Amino acid sequence: MDSPSQKGAGKKKINEVKTFPVPFPLEKNQGNLTINSKSPSKPSKEQIISQAIRFHEQGKIIEATKYYQYCLNHDFNDPIVFLNYGTILRSIGKLKKAEIFIRKAINIDPNLQDVHFKLGVVLNELNRPKEAIKYFLYESYTSLDNTKKSFYISNFLSENYQTIFDKEDIKYLLNILIKKDNISHDILFNIFNQLYDLEKILDDKEKKLLLHDQLISKSLERMIFTSQRWENFLRKIREEICSILANGSRVLINSESNFLISLAHQCFINEYVYYCTNKELNYIKIIINKMNKGEKNKDLIFVLACYYPLYKLIELIPCIKSFKSTEIKINNLLKLQIGDRKQEIELSKRLKKLGNINDEISKKVMTQYENRPFPSWRNIFDIDKLKKYADQKINDEINPNIISPNFKSKKLKVLIAGCGTGQQVLLAKEYKNSEITGIELSSSSLSYAQRKFNELGINNIKLIQMDILELSLLKEKFDLIESIGVLHHMKSPEEGLKALLEVLKINGFLKLGLYSKKARGTIQAARDYIESRNIEVNEKNIRKFRMSIFNGDLPEFKSFIQEPLFYTVSGVEDLCFHTQEWQFNLFEIQQMIETNKLDFKGFLLPQSIKSLYAKYFPEDKTQTNLQNWARFEEKHPSTFAGMYNFWVSKTKI
Ligand SMILES: C[S@@+](CC[C@H](N)C(=O)[O-])C[C@H]1O[C@@H](n2cnc3c(N)ncnc32)[C@H](O)[C@@H]1O
């Protein structure tokens, strides 16, 4: 929103405008501007506007403001000037005034790039979402190519209850956003779930109509459905179709067949987390028999793909291998369930490996993530467009504390230790001028990451299969290290930390994510339940465990139903079946920091929590007092429900 607009000036005459004081120390004489120009004559209107925009682009907001005000005071009537001045007013919180100026820009040139979007943002910030959506819609009719815009709009929709909007408007926008490839599936599902609220669709006939809805089909292919109601509905449909095909009671109509393909996508991306009844297992046997006896019906393949990934069935049902189609929808399914896996196997053969994985716990953890790479992700926001210098990014995260190292002059070496399936690596691309290395135990996680990078055309990230304990073999030191959700899965987190610090440069920064004992009370109870009953970790038991929670047999764990991780197999495993898990309290974290002579720089937490903390402890201006935070957590035990995510620096060693 803050970047200035640059297109050519508008033409229509507009009414007189009044500039508003902007709280910057402006020079007194606004009439005397010097413009960088070779010409000795008075600068032209165009030159003044260009200079204003140049200052704005360079982040010289005071100078830019002075020039915009000059233009406004001299009746230049240029839409860009109105828009950019409005943008500056918005950035300093003068929203009503920003609205006036951006509306002037629209009046002069309704086709000006970004103008509707920017007005939508201001209206949203003025708490007028119903008006804002009109401008977002207008923007999307023309173009929604900018990643930042689609990201903003998807968050806007996700946060504002659909009930206040027209359903058709949401459908229109969701249809566009779904194609974007860069919006995470939880945000998308949040919008979807508000649009198709199954609680309100009680009638079975009405529910059946959903099978013909194209947006639902597309959504099944794009996002993980993290709702119990949807899961129940989809399981029922899956069982019904499976029974029809096994019994050969009728052929499927086209729309059912299409829905089945989309459902197969969904079942694959949720890693076949849905519970499967004995009846269904019998149907599956019958279907496999039919296929091996030569029955040619592509729906049989699609329904099986709702229960098992097709790459696993190729040996058992050889005709799948020769199955070909010219339909894009079918080919997308074959790519997802066979092609991608083949690629990952090939990529895993070419992975760089370093050292050995000898530690017994590392071996166990590796096996877990070899079997089920985690996290499984589909889309990611194109962070490349948001590049920031590391100090700026860290400062945003540790706010209100501030660090001021100089990260601008050299290439920044960044290590992501325990990078999993690569999502965190891509987020690290936000660091400007950086060179990123990801290391990880599991080769399937790394090949998943590499396949995604290839698809996204990213070829400048080094991925290495190795144990954190052997990091010194890299013979490299890093300016920044991130290790989120990793050390607590090692035999000794302390040893893991030492290995990380060995490869962190002096004055380097380390971002850690560690589980909080307090926040994981219910999860620990589930882990105890699983351990005390000797429940073996496998997909069948994970499904059974979920089903007991859905059925109300384990009411003490019903809060998991709201947890997005509960809707993939690897997610449930990570949540409560993990082979190795440590949890910490803030006293232990403080000790760890002191023992290793580190400086605590601050937590990554939502602004609402930091504001509340400031009310309790106004004297802690940097919000870095861990004893205060321990008291805060005592009062608000779910503060660190995700993890303790924080930055430390190695300045003291
Ligand atoms: C919960 S996942 C988190 C992945 C990633 N950091 C993220 O936030 O998306 C933990 C990852 O740490 C890796 N890991 C655990 N112990 C490790 C070790 N000793 N060396 C390297 N990687 C390790 C696991 O293989 C797993 O992929």
Side-chain angles (χ1 to χ4, degrees):
M1 162 81 193
D2 286 344
S3 55
S5 292
Q6 302 146 329
K7 231 178 77 182
K11 288 157 204 81
K12 277 184 229 159
K13 183 90 186 138
I14 55 127
N15 302 331
E16 187 205 339
V17 288
K18 198 170 129 247
T19 54
F20 292 92
V22 174
F24 300 126
L26 296 175
E27 281 168 29
K28 269 188 199 146
N29 187 355
Q30 294 187 12
N32 258 343
L33 302 177
T34 40
I35 307 292
N36 295 333
S37 158
K38 281 179 188 148
S39 147
S41 58
K42 200 175 160 223
S44 69
K45 173 181 160 182
E46 284 71 29
Q47 281 175 317
I48 298 175
I49 295 172
S50 304
Q51 183 61 50
I53 294 171
R54 213 170 303 134
F55 278 140
H56 200 167
E57 280 172 344
Q58 291 165 353
K60 295 179 178 164
I61 303 299
I62 296 173
E63 288 87 343
T65 305
K66 194 168 71 174
Y67 274 69
Y68 288 137
Q69 288 188 337
Y70 178 95
C71 300
L72 294 167
N73 293 337
H74 289 78
D75 285 342
F76 280 12
N77 296 342
D78 186 287
I80 303 277
V81 171
F82 285 113
L83 177 58
N84 288 355
Y85 189 65
T87 305
I88 290 178
L89 288 168
R90 178 252 166 190
S91 70
I92 55 169
K94 294 192 175 290
L95 297 173
K96 286 201 170 144
K97 289 166 187 172
E99 179 191 350
I100 296 172
F101 279 86
I102 300 177
R103 281 195 191 278
K104 297 252 185 218
I106 294 185
N107 283 342
I108 304 174
D109 183 359
N111 297 322
L112 186 63
Q113 198 183 352
D114 288 352
V115 73
H116 292 91
F117 175 74
K118 289 189 176 182
L119 182 56
V121 169
V122 168
L123 291 169
N124 183 32
E125 289 174 359
L126 281 166
N127 216 1
R128 285 151 57 192
K130 266 189 165 179
E131 287 173 69
I133 196 171
K134 283 191 216 148
Y135 292 91
F136 293 146
L137 276 164
Y138 193 98
E139 186 78 33
S140 64
Y141 296 146
T142 49
S143 74
L144 204 55
D145 47 359
N146 178 314
T147 311
K148 261 191 199 175
K149 283 196 240 171
S150 35
F151 190 64
Y152 186 94
I153 295 175
S154 53
N155 275 308
F156 164 81
L157 291 177
S158 162
E159 281 159 16
N160 288 285
Y161 283 121
Q162 149 273 326
T163 39
I164 64 167
F165 299 132
D166 184 316
K167 278 197 171 204
E168 288 312 309
D169 290 347
I170 310 255
K171 270 193 184 178
Y172 180 83
L173 285 170
L174 185 57
N175 246 315
I176 293 177
L177 296 171
I178 250 180
K179 293 184 199 133
K180 287 278 165 206
D181 256 6
N182 54 21
I183 299 163
S184 82
H185 55 75
D186 26 336
I187 295 179
L188 286 176
F189 184 71
N190 216 350
I191 303 170
F192 174 91
N193 203 26
Q194 292 175 45
L195 188 59
Y196 295 97
D197 184 351
L198 278 187
E199 196 178 6
K200 294 193 185 128
I201 310 174
L202 299 171
D203 184 83
D204 262 2
K205 259 194 199 152
E206 225 183 309
K207 277 191 185 155
K208 282 270 159 65
L209 285 178
L210 299 178
L211 265 64
H212 308 275
D213 186 320
Q214 283 302 311
L215 185 54
I216 296 181
S217 284
K218 279 189 220 159
S219 301
L220 282 166
E221 294 173 23
R222 304 293 290 176
M223 51 186 106
I224 297 174
F225 280 33
T226 51
S227 125
Q228 182 183 3
R229 275 205 185 85
W230 269 100
E231 180 165 334
N232 289 343
F233 172 66
L234 293 171
R235 277 189 49 228
K236 203 166 151 204
I237 300 286
R238 182 175 76 162
E239 183 168 349
E240 272 176 31
I241 295 185
C242 194
S243 134
I244 293 170
L245 291 170
N247 298 327
S249 44
R250 65 172 174 85
V251 286
L252 299 187
I253 56 172
N254 244 345
S255 55
E256 285 172 326
S257 181
N258 275 331
F259 188 87
L260 192 59
I261 297 173
S262 303
L263 184 56
H265 267 266
Q266 177 64 203
C267 293
F268 182 90
I269 63 179
N270 72 29
E271 301 161 355
Y272 299 92
V273 79
Y274 295 169
Y275 186 80
C276 177
T277 61
N278 285 335
K279 252 194 205 168
E280 283 170 289
L281 288 174
N282 280 332
Y283 296 148
I284 291 167
K285 273 189 205 150
I286 298 172
I287 289 172
I288 292 177
N289 264 335
K290 282 185 179 205
M291 288 180 72
N292 281 338
K293 281 187 186 149
E295 184 165 330
K296 288 204 178 349
N297 173 358
K298 54 189 182 350
D299 290 333
L300 300 181
I301 298 184
F302 305 150
V303 78
L304 286 182
C306 293
Y307 291 92
Y308 302 98
L310 290 176
Y311 71 83
K312 280 198 179 166
L313 295 176
I314 284 181
E315 297 293 314
L316 189 66
I317 314 165
C319 64
I320 293 177
K321 206 172 184 173
S322 52
F323 176 63
K324 297 249 173 344
S325 170
T326 49
E327 280 179 55
I328 295 173
K329 197 174 163 77
I330 298 177
N331 282 328
N332 284 345
L333 180 69
L334 297 178
K335 177 191 176 296
L336 181 77
Q337 296 210 0
I338 302 176
D340 284 356
R341 181 68 194 149
K342 265 194 192 160
Q343 254 192 52
E344 284 170 19
I345 291 172
E346 280 311 305
L347 289 169
S348 77
K349 291 180 194 156
R350 281 180 268 145
L351 273 179
K352 184 169 176 195
K353 295 182 186 165
L354 207 55
N356 297 305
I357 294 159
N358 291 327
D359 178 87
E360 281 313 307
I361 294 295
S362 294
K363 279 186 191 163
K364 273 191 177 175
V365 171
M366 177 172 77
T367 308
Q368 172 179 331
Y369 290 105
E370 286 299 3
N371 292 337
R372 283 175 287 279
F374 174 86
S376 82
W377 57 279
R378 306 266 291 162
N379 312 329
I380 193 158
F381 179 48
D382 187 357
I383 220 80
D384 244 5
K385 306 249 161 52
L386 285 185
K387 280 203 186 299
K388 288 179 188 163
Y389 284 110
D391 46 342
Q392 200 185 340
K393 180 166 150 61
I394 297 174
N395 280 335
D396 286 351
E397 296 183 351
I398 60 173
N399 158 57
N401 198 11
I402 289 185
I403 52 155
S404 46
N406 182 6
F407 283 136
K408 297 186 178 73
S409 53
K410 54 179 178 150
K411 203 147 198 100
L412 197 74
K413 296 188 92 178
V414 180
L415 173 71
I416 309 295
C419 66
T421 46
Q423 196 176 28
Q424 198 194 341
V425 180
L426 287 190
L427 293 173
K429 282 181 89 241
E430 191 178 354
Y431 296 118
K432 223 177 203 169
N433 196 23
S434 61
E435 185 185 291
I436 305 173
T437 304
I439 69 130
E440 164 60 47
L441 288 175
S442 143
S443 66
S444 12
S445 298
L446 286 171
S447 2
Y448 185 105
Q450 190 61 61
R451 176 178 60 76
K452 295 295 275 184
F453 296 169
N454 292 353
E455 281 174 7
L456 295 165
I458 296 166
N459 52 16
N460 54 357
I461 291 171
K462 249 193 269 170
L463 291 178
I464 305 169
Q465 185 184 17
M466 69 182 299
D467 193 330
I468 286 178
L469 295 171
E470 307 240 299
L471 267 173
S472 58
L473 295 175
L474 273 178
K475 307 225 178 312
E476 263 185 275
K477 296 248 177 187
F478 297 88
D479 299 286
L480 294 186
I481 302 181
E482 291 190 5
S483 194
I484 305 292
V486 181
L487 294 187
H488 51 224
H489 295 316
M490 294 182 69
K491 181 164 120 205
S492 157
E494 289 77 12
E495 265 186 52
L497 176 60
K498 289 216 156 61
L500 292 178
L501 292 175
E502 256 176 55
V503 294
L504 181 63
K505 288 184 191 169
I506 307 265
N507 296 326
F509 287 79
L510 168 65
K511 182 176 173 179
L512 290 177
L514 297 171
Y515 284 148
S516 150
K517 206 174 281 175
K518 192 155 274 311
R520 287 180 79 83
T522 312
I523 292 167
Q524 188 51 49
R527 290 177 61 79
D528 293 343
Y529 170 89
I530 291 160
E531 199 184 325
S532 65
R533 282 161 184 77
N534 274 327
I535 300 176
E536 203 188 312
V537 188
N538 58 40
E539 291 177 14
K540 198 170 159 207
N541 286 340
I542 288 176
R543 287 187 202 112
K544 233 167 128 180
F545 175 69
R546 291 179 82 248
M547 211 50 202
S548 316
I549 295 176
F550 280 148
N551 288 341
D553 298 337
L554 297 171
E556 62 275 37
F557 305 134
K558 74 168 190 291
S559 60
F560 293 163
I561 294 174
Q562 310 307 326
E563 173 59 65
L565 284 181
F566 200 57
Y567 294 85
T568 57
V569 174
S570 64
V572 181
E573 181 170 30
D574 218 72
L575 195 65
C576 36
F577 281 81
H578 205 289
T579 179
Q580 170 79 354
E581 171 168 328
W582 292 96
Q583 295 154 4
F584 299 84
N585 61 36
L586 283 173
F587 174 70
E588 288 159 341
I589 290 191
Q590 185 165 21
Q591 268 196 334
M592 205 188 240
I593 289 173
E594 284 172 6
T595 314
N596 290 287
K597 300 193 171 59
L598 301 169
D599 260 352
F600 179 72
K601 294 297 178 191
F603 286 115
L604 282 78
L605 282 170
Q607 194 48 49
S608 53
I609 295 184
K610 292 196 174 177
S611 304
L612 187 60
Y613 176 91
K615 282 193 185 148
Y616 285 100
F617 305 105
E619 71 293 347
D620 182 10
K621 299 277 182 239
T622 56
Q623 305 207 345
T624 48
N625 183 323
L626 288 173
Q627 280 156 17
N628 287 349
W629 276 112
R631 272 181 252 147
F632 186 89
E633 193 185 17
E634 201 62 50
K635 254 197 149 354
H636 303 280
S638 59
T639 303
F640 300 100
M643 263 180 257
Y644 295 119
N645 284 310
F646 57 94
W647 280 101
V648 289
S649 72
K650 193 180 163 178
T651 39
K652 281 187 186 164
I653 286 180

